[in-house]
Amino acid sequence: MKKEVPARVTVILLAIAAGCCVFGWMNGEAHAVFVKAASICLECIGLG
Amino acid sequence: MVSRFRKIIQAGWGILTNGYAAGFLPGGPTLYSGPLKHFCVPGMNCYSCPGALGACPIGAVQAILDGRHRGFPFYVLGYLAMAGLLAGRFICGWLCLFGLIQELLYRIPTPKIRVPDRADRILRYLKYVVLAVLVIGIPLVYRTELGLGVPAFCKYLCPVGTLEGGIPMAILQDSLRATLGALFRWKVFLLILCVLASVFIHRPFCKYICPLGALYSLFQKVSLVRMNVDTGVCIDCGACGEACPMNVVPCREPNSPECIRCGECTEVCPVKALSFRPAGKRKNCKEEMSG
Ligand code: SF4
Ligand code: SF4
């Protein structure tokens, strides 16, 4: 039988993930996502 | 009961996240371009769907993943890690429109195919290859002329984009319809294959291809939502394994990477030994059996 991953590990990982998200946002990555998502993606629709 | 409730949530979520009605007007404004497009939705949802209000996480990873020019995609991967850590593949079972579409196709009354266990086990690894090669590897190495990673998954494989983006756009926009070529035909072919497979196999795209499902499955054992097997009451009858549409045996591996948290097993268990619970709150918990 294997041990279950303790809840505190989940909480620590969540904090790291949230930190990455905020850091990326401050670096302008959310804007890059917006630019891509707000116009038609030719690759997605089979024209790229 | 769980199944009906889940269908309502799946459909409601699909409508809510694709609720930009103006996008469906022929010749009208094309895509929603408001502030919500800064955020990714948790499930697969093409951002070129005329109704899409958010960004597709897999499309966003590919667009931003360009190691030489933009560095590590902290925002999108941080977001996906958070979603995975909070809910794991609960997202697949409850918040993915394409998952719902496959489930509805599977309801068409035809004889069903059970993929032999060995082939099934091998094919399940395919989604990790898709994630590593098409979503991460190629966009990291090859760039478009705009300096963005080449979205190889979207471009050559994704049936979600064809169904939610390509086909509606081709219907609504005359100018786009005139330019459709071999790539579009290839993607329609893949979509037809996926639709046909879904009639005979339960969620084949999710089981074998979806890179987002692959990514969330990595968080399943550490996510906040976990499944508990109460060993004090489990009578090892095997009903849960037989009911599972994802071929998981939950009484043996309650937090399998393949479990989409649909809850079918909790419904059929005659002694109610299976339940969902937050991490750390376990009751006579049997952990994953090796193998
Ligand atoms: S595996 Fe992919 S397509 Fe299937 S439910 Fe999960 S996110 Fe949706
Ligand atoms: S183990 Fe249970 S909750 Fe998970 S996919 Fe199978 S039936 Fe659904």
Side-chain angles (χ1 to χ4, degrees):
Chain A
M1 304 231 184
K2 293 181 202 155
K3 274 260 184 222
E4 181 177 351
V5 179
R8 67 173 175 282
V9 173
T10 305
V11 173
I12 292 168
L13 291 174
L14 258 173
I16 295 171
C20 285
C21 214
V22 172
F23 178 76
W25 181 285
M26 288 183 339
N27 257 349
E29 283 176 30
H31 181 69
V33 168
F34 172 80
V35 169
K36 180 73 186 169
S39 50
I40 297 174
C41 165
L42 294 180
E43 287 91 355
C44 299
I45 65 170
L47 283 175
Chain B
M1 180 66 189
V2 173
S3 173
R4 185 163 306 163
F5 178 59
R6 193 168 65 88
K7 290 274 174 300
I8 293 169
I9 301 282
Q10 286 172 296
W13 180 257
I15 292 167
L16 194 75
T17 50
N18 292 287
Y20 183 62
F24 292 101
L25 298 174
T30 51
L31 291 185
Y32 167 76
S33 56
L36 290 176
K37 277 269 170 92
H38 286 88
F39 303 96
C40 296
V41 290
M44 290 286 276
N45 200 110
C46 185
Y47 41 33
S48 287
C49 169
L53 289 169
C56 170
I58 289 296
V61 170
Q62 292 166 93
I64 292 191
L65 205 63
D66 178 351
R68 282 168 297 178
H69 293 84
R70 285 184 185 274
F72 190 81
F74 285 100
Y75 171 61
V76 184
L77 288 188
Y79 166 83
L80 286 173
M82 274 199 325
L85 285 163
L86 285 172
R89 292 196 76 184
F90 178 87
I91 293 164
C92 301
W94 294 73
L95 299 178
C96 180
L97 181 60
F98 199 63
L100 170 66
I101 292 169
Q102 291 171 83
E103 285 178 10
L104 295 178
L105 287 166
Y106 191 69
R107 285 194 162 191
I108 296 173
T110 58
K112 303 300 173 190
I113 296 173
R114 191 185 156 92
V115 179
D117 286 352
R118 204 175 132 75
D120 178 72
R121 265 201 307 276
I122 295 169
L123 284 171
R124 300 241 180 195
Y125 288 107
L126 200 58
K127 58 182 177 290
Y128 299 100
V129 176
V130 170
L131 174 66
V133 176
L134 295 184
V135 177
I136 297 174
I138 294 180
L140 207 61
V141 175
Y142 296 99
R143 281 170 298 133
T144 64
E145 54 290 1
L146 296 175
L148 300 168
V150 170
F153 174 73
C154 294
K155 187 168 177 176
Y156 301 112
L157 196 58
C158 183
V160 187
T162 315
L163 180 70
E164 296 178 359
I167 292 175
M169 280 297 177
I171 293 169
L172 294 169
Q173 304 275 325
D174 295 344
S175 52
L176 283 179
R177 198 161 49 243
T179 55
L180 300 177
L183 185 58
F184 184 75
R185 286 196 291 276
W186 163 248
K187 293 196 67 185
V188 170
F189 169 71
L190 289 181
L191 173 64
I192 292 170
L193 265 189
C194 185
V195 165
L196 284 178
S198 303
V199 175
F200 301 103
I201 302 170
H202 184 268
R203 283 189 175 225
F205 178 77
C206 307
K207 279 180 181 152
Y208 307 129
I209 309 289
C210 182
L212 190 56
L215 204 136
Y216 287 146
S217 75
L218 303 176
F219 293 98
Q220 193 87 318
K221 289 189 187 347
V222 288
S223 99
L224 223 48
V225 179
R226 298 192 198 165
M227 191 190 278
N228 184 67
V229 185
D230 188 338
T231 47
V233 294
C234 174
I235 51 170
D236 251 334
C237 67
C240 55
E242 263 163 45
C244 177
M246 298 299 283
N247 310 351
V248 173
V249 183
C251 60
R252 298 246 165 78
E253 198 181 3
N255 294 304
S256 157
E258 301 299 330
C259 169
I260 57 167
R261 305 315 198 193
C262 67
E264 300 289 338
C265 54
T266 60
E267 287 276 280
V268 299
C269 176
V271 290
K272 300 286 169 232
L274 298 168
S275 58
F276 293 110
R277 54 170 173 98
K281 293 252 179 294
R282 51 189 189 154
K283 186 182 166 198
N284 289 336
C285 182
K286 172 159 69 179
E287 288 316 325
E288 325 289 314
M289 309 273 265
S290 323

